[in-house]
Amino acid sequence: VTETSHPDNDVNLIVDIGNSPNNVDDSVILNERLPEIKKMLYDIVELHFDGGYGSTDNDNLMREMGIMPVQTAVRGIKANVEMYIEINDKNEIIVTCPHGQSVVAGIVRKRYRATFNYEICKKCPLFKKCNVASPKNLGKYNFSEEELYRKLRHHNILKLPLERRKLRANVEATMKEFTHRLNGHKLKVRGAFKSSLFTFATAIAINFGRIYRSNMKKDDNRKLLALFAHILKKWNYSFHIVVSKSRIYFQYC
């Protein structure tokens, strides 16, 4: 599920849903949905996701689309001494170690290499833990293009203000809205078509619930009814609608 999460929005809505079997990797699902997300949100510049959705293919596709990937968790084993990589205004690849030593990386055969001052490395308090400063590497840090873009993706979150580093957290609440009535998070229907109907109808209901509650606060129901009619016409769906004080119930026809 992909939803908007802009602090200036009065209400944030679900904009895209991907239905796939649970043996498909999350990064593959995102790769398939990115073109649709870009169509829906043509001015998107930032996409937040967790460790399962990151991949080199997604990095390349988002770079073409002008989207900055922000990964809120890291998949795989974390290094004892993590190197920070960035690309400056001169398009140079700058590698910085935790102790603050920065060097420009160059291309060696098919890989990139950053060569640190080994004499400075010897004085570093992390010397014994750092693989780069080991007698085998002597301050040389080699990395591939895939690792380069993975590091850039991981470090994008550090460029954001603190209040924007946890934007993705609301998605967990959104997923709970999909599953809170299910027994053990298992669908009551079987098959791709029926499960798609369930998820699309649920997403529409969640969106209208958010719009309804937002408009009730403003006491402006005309905007709600106009938007309701517009989306029903666009999706070509029919519903029986029951409105209570706090909820909207939809029965799909």
Side-chain angles (χ1 to χ4, degrees):
V1 173
T2 306
E3 63 181 353
T4 61
S5 186
H6 197 286
D8 294 339
N9 290 350
D10 292 330
V11 58
N12 286 298
L13 301 175
I14 296 169
V15 294
D16 187 73
I17 295 176
N19 258 19
S20 297
N22 62 2
N23 61 353
V24 178
D25 192 80
D26 290 340
S27 63
V28 175
I29 298 173
L30 177 59
N31 192 270
E32 293 173 351
R33 301 309 306 169
L34 274 172
E36 296 300 322
I37 294 171
K38 182 66 176 178
K39 278 184 189 177
M40 185 69 68
L41 302 173
Y42 61 90
D43 56 348
I44 182 174
V45 294
E46 198 173 292
L47 183 65
H48 294 240
F49 49 87
D50 68 10
Y53 292 91
S55 73
T56 303
D57 288 341
N58 290 344
D59 290 340
N60 293 333
L61 187 54
M62 280 188 268
R63 193 162 61 251
E64 291 174 7
M65 294 178 173
I67 301 173
M68 183 176 81
V70 179
Q71 189 168 322
T72 57
V74 178
R75 175 190 276 185
I77 300 172
K78 189 175 181 180
N80 292 327
V81 178
E82 188 74 21
M83 296 293 170
Y84 182 85
I85 302 179
E86 61 182 341
I87 299 177
N88 64 14
D89 297 335
K90 299 178 182 178
N91 209 28
E92 295 174 329
I93 300 170
I94 308 298
V95 182
T96 306
C97 75
H99 195 52
Q101 189 180 172
S102 294
V103 297
V104 178
I107 297 177
V108 179
R109 296 180 183 175
K110 296 182 179 180
R111 298 173 70 83
Y112 294 92
R113 174 177 291 176
T115 305
F116 293 92
N117 188 323
Y118 191 61
E119 294 303 318
I120 297 177
C121 290
K122 287 180 180 179
K123 301 174 184 178
C124 176
L126 301 172
F127 179 72
K128 293 182 179 179
K129 295 181 180 179
C130 184
N131 291 331
V132 176
S134 67
K136 178 182 177 181
N137 295 315
L138 296 176
K140 294 182 178 65
Y141 176 54
N142 299 305
F143 55 97
S144 63
E145 185 176 27
E146 180 181 353
E147 186 177 354
L148 165 65
Y149 288 111
R150 185 173 70 247
K151 292 274 189 182
L152 291 174
R153 184 201 327 137
H154 291 171
H155 296 147
N156 278 340
I157 195 169
L158 301 177
K159 301 176 184 177
L160 303 178
L162 290 174
E163 64 271 14
R164 279 173 53 204
R165 294 184 186 182
K166 296 183 178 180
L167 288 178
R168 187 196 159 278
N170 188 59
V171 175
E172 305 299 340
T174 300
M175 295 310 300
K176 189 173 181 180
E177 291 187 85
F178 276 88
T179 61
H180 76 287
R181 294 184 182 277
L182 303 180
N183 185 15
H185 288 194
K186 293 180 182 286
L187 291 180
K188 297 179 181 179
V189 296
R190 292 291 178 267
F193 177 72
K194 290 182 180 179
S195 64
S196 295
L197 282 182
F198 168 80
T199 51
F200 294 151
T202 303
I204 292 170
I206 292 171
N207 277 347
F208 274 110
R210 293 178 182 182
I211 295 168
Y212 175 75
R213 289 188 291 272
S214 175
N215 281 273
M216 286 298 288
K217 290 178 183 177
K218 298 178 182 178
D219 195 25
D220 186 6
N221 290 327
R222 288 177 300 172
K223 188 185 295 184
L224 169 69
L225 293 174
L227 185 59
F228 180 83
H230 172 73
I231 295 181
L232 282 187
K233 183 178 180 181
K234 182 177 180 181
W235 286 76
N236 197 24
Y237 284 160
S238 298
F239 294 90
H240 292 308
I241 311 165
V242 179
V243 180
S244 69
K245 290 182 179 179
S246 59
R247 294 178 181 273
I248 294 181
Y249 298 92
F250 293 86
Q251 182 178 359
Y252 178 71
C253 302

